[in-house]
Amino acid sequence: MATASRTFFLGGCLCCCTPRLLSPSSSSSSFFVNLPLSNALALKRRTLLLPIGVNNGDHHRPHLPPRPNTSSSSFYHSSSSLRCAQKILSTHLIHEPDCSPSRCPNVVEILEQRGLLESLTCDSLRSACFDPNLPPLRVYCGFDPTAESLHLGNLIGIIVLSWFLRCGHKAVALVGGATGRVGDPSGKSLERPELDPQTLERNTAAIAETVFRILGRNTINPSAADGSFVVLDNYDWWKDFKLLDFLKEVGRFARVGAMMSKESVKRRLESEQGMSYTEFSYQLLQGYDFLYLFEKEGVNVQIGGSDQWGNITAGTDLIRRILHADGAYGLTFPLLLKSDGTKFGKSEEGALWLSPSMLSPYKFYQHFFSVPDTDVVRFLKTLTFLSMEEIGELERKMQRPAEYVPNTAQRRLAEEVTRFVHGEEGLEEAVKATEALRPGAETRLNRETIERIAAGDDVPSCSLPYNQVLSLSIVDLSVSTGLLDTKSAARRLLKQGGLYLNNTRVDVETKRVEAQDIVDGKILLLSAGKKNKMVVRVN
């Protein structure tokens, strides 16, 4: 019998260019909507999915908590944590070629070639994802709502999901509305701070929207008429699961010795802070998520970073013990590291967020533009979908300085990743801002460009009265705004040709602010070198 699940669901039709919002069934109280291409991304709360069959062991199956009903009265209100399902995102889909496993490359080999494969729970996944006699795989990656936005470290999971989609498989993004209440101890030295329900709900909705926006824009396969991917919230099946039922039906199959042997557990137990029972139980919660998705949603592959290996194998072990079923796989990818071993994705200001409301496309773009030569080729392989031939050609040019224009590879990396995360509009905004804010650029600055950059905390800003700014020397203005520490430092930089007003180099120490220098009578941009800037709002 079909069971209902709260999801975001996107459909596409091979015979036309009109994506579809799919109804649960013809007899359901829901509906069917055709959307024009200009509103191609449709978000929906529920869809019906048939559970796959599993061999043997029915008497060992846990009595999984019932799904929310699909009556018309509950259709819109039963799931508050994914309110963004009510939103239509106006964007364009990039349709991939019609891909089935018999025609597309082996996705595991692609991931391995591009440095996106760390470990497999079973090597037979290589053949399973490429066997024309088997249906497409259904792959999931989890994202706990510990913040209002995903960050650059989460992007690898979205990229790997996208590769599966591009190779004709199906994807599920699981937002941890339930597991986020516990906190994954993997890679953490301290227990995560507890979040209140309102914050979790807000984070869950924001993360679901971000994943749907990125994957929906980039990797929808029109051959998947029943929807290439869905976004689920595991709170749906955990909220009605009672503790005694969980211990009886799941806990008795978990071996404490195996749980203690997980690397994330051993490190925490050996630490001064130790580990709470709540955190210790996290691997069982994630393991049960895999079991639930395997049985109810037909998901047969879980992916995650290398630090998720213990949690992933907890899931494959539960599936084997409880369902007596084969065909559940785990795949991990390396963490995103720089050549010096430190995490890539951290800046002096903090995490590099994927949400444009928390980090502007301009700042996001700039981070990739500044990647050192030693890392750029590797990041082109892992973070973009450029062909290996094109990446190889860029690498060869880098080795021939006479033919290579500096930062060409970095510019291509920044363009591709920004386009994937923020779309063409975000990339255009980033490129325009980059050009406009480049010292010495001929692009005429306007107030809108400067304000947009300052509003995103990408450039520090201050406010000064008009009468204080007018006729003030640039040297004095540089110090009073905090751009430079001393007048002597300002004079020295000016003599070296590194002090700019509105992108125009200041050549003489006697230069003072004139009325025509104040952009639209409201704002100034000071630059000390290429990177240090200050927006001066003139009251």
Side-chain angles (χ1 to χ4, degrees):
M1 179 178 180
T3 52
S5 168
R6 175 178 60 186
T7 67
F8 295 134
F9 196 95
L10 183 69
C13 177
L14 184 59
C15 59
C16 66
C17 294
T18 305
R20 304 179 299 174
L21 185 63
L22 303 179
S23 64
S25 70
S26 58
S27 60
S28 129
S29 60
S30 183
F31 51 87
F32 184 102
V33 177
N34 283 313
L35 297 175
L37 186 59
S38 60
N39 289 321
L41 286 187
L43 296 182
K44 185 176 184 296
R45 286 185 190 267
R46 297 183 187 279
T47 184
L48 293 184
L49 298 163
L50 292 174
I52 63 168
V54 285
N55 55 348
N56 304 323
D58 285 351
H59 59 290
H60 286 307
R61 294 183 187 178
H63 298 289
L64 301 178
R67 298 289 193 82
N69 65 66
T70 57
S71 66
S72 58
S73 62
S74 66
F75 183 79
Y76 295 103
H77 305 294
S78 63
S79 171
S80 60
S81 67
L82 295 181
R83 286 195 179 93
C84 58
Q86 298 169 339
K87 182 184 289 186
I88 301 297
L89 298 179
S90 297
T91 186
H92 294 282
L93 299 181
I94 299 175
H95 290 304
E96 300 298 328
D98 181 13
C99 261
S100 64
S102 61
R103 294 181 219 165
C104 284
N106 188 314
V107 63
V108 173
E109 292 182 358
I110 289 175
L111 297 177
E112 191 169 36
Q113 184 183 32
R114 302 183 78 95
L116 286 168
L117 179 63
E118 178 92 1
S119 303
L120 298 172
T121 57
C122 182
D123 208 53
S124 61
L125 177 59
R126 295 176 183 273
S127 57
C129 69
F130 196 59
D131 189 339
N133 298 315
L134 295 176
L137 296 171
R138 204 149 192 243
V139 186
Y140 100 89
C141 186
F143 304 93
D144 274 351
T146 53
E148 197 170 347
S149 172
L150 297 176
H151 53 75
L152 193 59
N154 303 123
L155 184 60
I156 292 286
I158 299 176
I159 287 172
V160 173
L161 284 180
S162 187
W163 273 117
F164 273 94
L165 285 164
R166 289 164 185 254
C167 291
H169 302 287
K170 307 293 182 67
V172 173
L174 182 66
V175 184
T179 44
R181 288 165 162 78
V182 174
D184 184 3
S186 301
K188 298 294 179 182
S189 58
L190 295 172
E191 190 162 356
R192 295 177 186 268
E194 184 178 359
L195 300 178
D196 61 80
Q198 292 76 23
T199 300
L200 279 168
E201 186 173 310
R202 183 176 64 251
N203 293 353
T204 297
I207 287 173
E209 183 178 349
T210 297
V211 174
F212 200 93
R213 170 175 53 82
I214 295 174
L215 285 179
R217 180 194 300 119
N218 290 281
T219 54
I220 298 305
N221 187 337
S223 67
D226 60 340
S228 290
F229 78 97
V230 292
V231 179
L232 303 175
D233 179 2
N234 63 9
Y235 188 68
D236 277 346
W237 52 86
W238 281 111
K239 61 184 172 61
D240 296 320
F241 208 168
K242 296 179 180 179
L243 175 61
L244 292 179
D245 292 336
F246 176 73
L247 292 176
K248 180 179 70 173
E249 297 167 7
V250 179
R252 68 191 182 96
F253 293 96
R255 306 271 68 87
V256 173
M259 294 176 68
M260 297 279 287
S261 68
K262 306 294 185 186
E263 193 61 35
S264 60
V265 173
K266 288 196 296 185
R267 282 200 300 267
R268 288 293 298 277
L269 289 177
E270 293 169 357
S271 69
E272 184 178 342
Q273 292 78 17
M275 173 181 259
S276 69
Y277 174 76
T278 300
E279 285 188 301
F280 181 65
S281 67
Y282 185 93
Q283 59 180 289
L284 273 187
L285 304 185
Q286 184 170 326
Y288 178 77
D289 280 343
F290 195 3
L291 182 148
Y292 184 92
L293 292 171
F294 181 86
E295 184 172 44
K296 294 294 183 180
E297 311 287 10
V299 170
N300 40 20
V301 182
Q302 181 183 178
I303 65 170
S306 56
D307 59 347
Q308 291 296 305
W309 179 257
N311 295 334
I312 291 173
T313 54
T316 55
D317 187 58
L318 284 180
I319 290 169
R320 185 175 62 254
R321 290 176 180 274
I322 296 176
L323 302 180
H324 296 278
D326 297 320
Y329 305 97
L331 180 153
T332 61
F333 42 81
L335 299 180
L336 197 57
L337 301 176
K338 294 185 286 189
S339 55
D340 60 5
T342 59
K343 281 188 177 181
F344 180 65
K346 297 287 186 181
S347 66
E348 292 179 1
E349 296 80 18
L352 289 174
W353 304 109
L354 304 187
S355 171
S357 64
M358 295 183 68
L359 187 74
S360 74
Y362 163 76
K363 191 71 172 181
F364 187 85
Y365 177 95
Q366 288 298 313
H367 189 79
F368 290 96
F369 196 81
S370 61
V371 166
D373 287 348
T374 52
D375 292 324
V376 67
V377 172
R378 181 164 53 87
F379 290 157
L380 281 167
K381 294 177 182 178
T382 57
L383 298 176
T384 79
F385 299 90
L386 294 177
S387 69
M388 294 297 287
E389 291 74 19
E390 186 171 354
I391 295 171
E393 180 60 26
L394 278 170
E395 185 175 17
R396 285 189 290 273
K397 287 181 178 178
M398 289 178 68
Q399 296 167 357
R400 299 193 293 267
E403 302 176 22
Y404 180 70
V405 178
N407 293 323
T408 298
Q410 282 84 348
R411 180 177 292 105
R412 194 63 194 277
L413 173 67
E415 290 173 352
E416 293 298 318
V417 182
T418 304
R419 181 186 291 112
F420 181 74
V421 174
H422 295 292
E424 289 291 347
E425 288 185 3
L427 174 59
E428 183 180 356
E429 175 188 329
V431 171
K432 281 184 176 179
T434 298
E435 176 60 23
L437 293 176
R438 178 174 59 85
E442 296 180 0
T443 304
R444 185 178 182 278
L445 287 174
N446 56 48
R447 181 185 175 189
E448 180 184 354
T449 300
I450 300 175
E451 285 284 10
R452 186 168 61 244
I453 299 304
D457 291 329
D458 297 327
V459 176
S461 63
C462 66
S463 296
L464 294 173
Y466 184 90
N467 59 1
Q468 182 179 334
V469 173
L470 193 64
S471 300
L472 186 66
S473 75
I474 300 302
V475 170
D476 288 337
L477 183 63
S478 299
V479 176
S480 62
T481 58
L483 177 67
L484 295 168
D485 294 331
T486 63
K487 291 183 181 181
S488 60
R491 293 190 185 97
R492 184 167 54 251
L493 186 63
L494 187 150
K495 291 177 181 178
Q496 294 170 350
L499 191 59
Y500 293 81
L501 174 64
N502 297 334
N503 285 346
T504 301
R505 179 181 294 142
V506 179
D507 294 319
V508 293
E509 189 177 323
T510 56
K511 166 65 180 173
R512 294 180 179 273
V513 178
E514 302 174 46
Q516 60 264 32
D517 293 326
I518 304 175
V519 179
D520 297 334
K522 296 290 184 181
I523 204 163
L524 291 167
L525 178 67
L526 286 174
S527 302
K530 292 183 178 181
K531 294 184 178 180
N532 298 323
K533 303 178 189 298
M534 174 67 68
V535 171
V536 184
R537 293 188 175 90
V538 182
N539 300 326

